[in-house]
Amino acid sequence: MKQVVQNYKSGELSVLDVPVPGCKPGGVLVRSAFSLISTGTELMKVSEAGMSMLGKARSRPDQVAKVVQSVAVNGLPATYRKVMGKLDSYTPLGYSLCGVVEQVGAGTDDVKVGDLVACAGNEHALHAEVNWVPRNLYVPVPDGLAPRHAAFGTVGSIALQGVRQGGPQLGEVALVIGLGLIGQLVVQLLAAAGVRVVGADPDPVRCELAERLGAVACGDPGSAAVENAVAELTGGHGVDQVYLAAGGGSNQPVELAARLARDRGRVVDIGKCRLDLPWNAYYEKELDVRFSRSYGPGRYDPEYELDGRDYPIGYVRWTERRNLACFLDLAARGRVDVEPLISRIADFEDAVETYRQLKDGELKAVAVLFRYPGEAGAGEAQAPAVAVPAVRRGTAAAPARPSRSPVRLAFVGAGNYATSMLLPHLARREGVELSAVVTTTALSAANAQRKFGFGRATTDLDAVLGDASVDAVFVVTRHSSHAELTRRALLAGKTVFVEKPLALTEDELAGVLAAVEESGNDRLQVGFNRRFAPLLREAKARFGARTGPASLRYLVNAGRLQHGSWYLQQGTEGSRFAGEGGHFVDTASWLLGADPVSVYAVAPSGNEDLQIVLRYPDGSTATLSYVTAGAPGFPKETLDLVADGKVLKLDDFVRASVYGSKRWVSSRLPRARDKGQSAELASFVKAVRTGGPMPVPLESLVATTAATLAVQAALVGGAPVTLARSL
């Protein structure tokens, strides 16, 4: 299929061939009929992409701050790879469309194949021929509403949410500053609610349009016409509400709002304009400044948008989905008329030229729609104690491969970690062929194919697992899918590299081991990369063998997660430690040369900090302090190992030292913070190529996973958990 994309680094726009997205449970595949260009938000994004690197940094100081923090935690090289990988990627455009349901995912019963739906979301209602849309981001289109009008649903919801934030009442007077697409819709919604509206915009054409659509009077914000109209309508008191629907860097809108609002009036920010509030003016009138967050309650909540968990109507009357349905109902009943807003309907194949004309000012438009091939048929029906599980291997053997041919790899998932920490090492490795990349979203697969040279990009996992030429599969998806994807790949006879964690529950771990036993395929590696870190390996060698028990102390200054991180979705993705803790358990066990026999854990009340004690067969102990409340500038990982009169010290993979009869200290000017990914991948590729032993024994991977999962059991039980080995 085809999709409009932009390279944020170069600013280049193109219509790209990408795989059709998969139809996941809890949503539907929608074939687009019309999609709407947001002439405000999208053109701002397009213009920003055309800036220099310095201009981009100035326009997004919030992102610059994140980069600086990442450098402090991960080092400059890793941060540079991550940032450049994001910049030099295709990004999607679009967030409002109407189309026909082409496939219905499991658990979805409110629509059927052939239904016409309006869709929302800047990750789901894209300018693409086909989109996967979760249940709370689509609604059926009312009978009689034209598909091109239903494509306005998302921007209509944005305007509607802004009006709701203003709390208009019959007979009030409102001022709408900015009469672009959102402003025009706000004017109509207010007029439909019995509010008299004054509009302000420097474009006389837009002023005339707003008056035709229900505004009492409109004019240039710098002219006396607007002030005169407000004075006449309000008896000199000022308007009850002001809606800021303007963009740009001028502070004129907020100053005008203060001047024309009544005492204790309401000012609602819907657009993205400069907000240097003049303190005296806002204080003296005690103005109520409110923000309108996109389509309404539910926006940016992954449990609502992705998992389909609705808010009870008794507590949240107007969610983003209910706003979307309400706007479509108003349009279907003629209370809102979007037809006069349509400046052009362009064929989808002309998308790049349409954006160019908008950006260059050749096309003056309020709203522009893309019309997709086959639109004429839109709306017509279409065809339809914790036990450590024993590792038991079956008798089947993993398929042999010619030793001289390249190792052919497939990736399932192509997110941040895969594209910044794994693929850069593999793409330049001799004797490796990146055969296929599989994702559920089309654009991420296309990005990975372009940047790393995959032979093909697809959303069809079964086809890749059934491809006999693929030697090994990398599972680099979200945590909740690791165990099932690993199980399927093992049963398909593939060597598997799965990022941590291997499993989130004991049942998932048992399922993986059942696949090993059934298939006889034990060719599995989990991405526990720390044991491969060159600095730590050298320090261990310098420490030498030990004769007595050891005491290991490992401090992980994990820090707080950003709001919205999918790591916070514990209901589906497991606890944060379950997802990341295997790294530290594995590192401790490797340094101590054994697997743990018991786990004890405590957590201070009210936070996520953990204190974990692992006990080993020879009496050695490892204490892991996994903390989130530490200073962000402190190193993330520090480690001390004490035994036999010797001490090994690791400082965040930057410096290491060993104290004993002789003292060894690593270089103080390391090239980078190397946590072992490159060496780990080299060992894995060698094992695939030669058929030799996997880099880490399967029994150790299972023991580490079981110990990580036992932390939660220890927290609940308040006592040490014995890790009993199954026979």
Side-chain angles (χ1 to χ4, degrees), residues 392-593:
R392 296 183 175 87
R393 297 164 171 84
T395 56
R401 59 178 306 282
S403 61
R404 293 187 179 181
S405 63
V407 174
R408 295 182 175 89
L409 306 178
F411 263 66
V412 183
N416 243 4
Y417 189 82
T419 56
S420 64
M421 304 306 295
L422 300 180
L423 284 168
H425 296 295
L426 292 169
R428 58 175 179 259
R429 189 172 296 279
E430 186 177 353
V432 168
E433 179 183 317
L434 298 177
S435 178
V437 56
V438 186
T439 63
T440 56
T441 56
L443 195 52
S444 58
N447 270 321
Q449 182 181 34
R450 178 184 70 90
K451 292 166 63 175
F452 300 107
F454 281 98
R456 58 180 164 137
T458 179
T459 58
D460 189 347
L461 175 61
D462 290 334
V464 171
L465 294 181
D467 185 347
S469 70
V470 172
D471 299 309
V473 172
F474 279 70
V475 176
V476 201
T477 54
R478 289 193 176 185
H479 298 164
S480 58
S481 60
H482 284 191
E484 175 60 17
L485 292 173
T486 299
R487 188 189 69 81
R488 291 176 62 184
L490 288 171
L491 290 173
K494 306 301 182 187
T495 302
V496 181
F497 182 109
V498 56
E499 250 313 309
K500 50 79 193 165
L502 173 60
L504 290 175
T505 66
E506 294 172 31
D507 287 344
E508 288 185 353
L509 181 57
V512 171
L513 294 180
V516 171
E517 183 176 2
E518 177 182 343
S519 65
N521 178 13
D522 63 355
R523 309 287 288 171
L524 175 64
Q525 171 65 16
V526 181
F528 299 141
N529 51 277
R530 268 71 166 172
R531 65 163 66 203
F532 296 92
L535 186 61
L536 187 56
R537 294 183 75 87
E538 182 177 1
K540 183 182 179 183
R542 298 272 185 176
F543 188 89
R546 61 182 174 84
T547 58
S551 175
L552 186 148
R553 181 181 61 185
Y554 201 149
L555 172 61
V556 182
N557 182 35
R560 299 196 182 280
L561 293 173
Q562 295 178 5
H563 175 73
S565 170
W566 62 266
Y567 261 88
L568 295 170
Q569 300 173 31
Q570 294 194 15
T572 56
E573 302 300 334
S575 71
R576 188 177 178 186
F577 187 82
E580 186 180 28
H583 271 320
F584 318 119
V585 175
D586 177 76
T587 303
S589 298
W590 172 72
L591 283 169
L592 296 173

Side-chain angles (χ1 to χ4, degrees), residues 116 158 204 217 254 446 564 631 667:
L116 190 66
I158 294 172
V254 296
S667 168

Side-chain angles (χ1 to χ4, degrees), residues 175-227:
L175 172 65
V176 178
I177 302 176
L179 296 175
L181 178 55
I182 297 295
Q184 298 286 347
L185 293 171
V186 170
V187 167
Q188 293 194 61
L189 291 168
L190 289 169
V195 175
R196 292 173 293 171
V197 184
V198 177
D201 195 287
D203 187 339
V205 175
R206 291 184 173 184
C207 288
E208 181 184 348
L209 177 60
E211 289 179 352
R212 285 197 284 122
L213 294 176
V216 176
C218 296
D220 189 292
S223 70
V226 172
E227 295 195 29

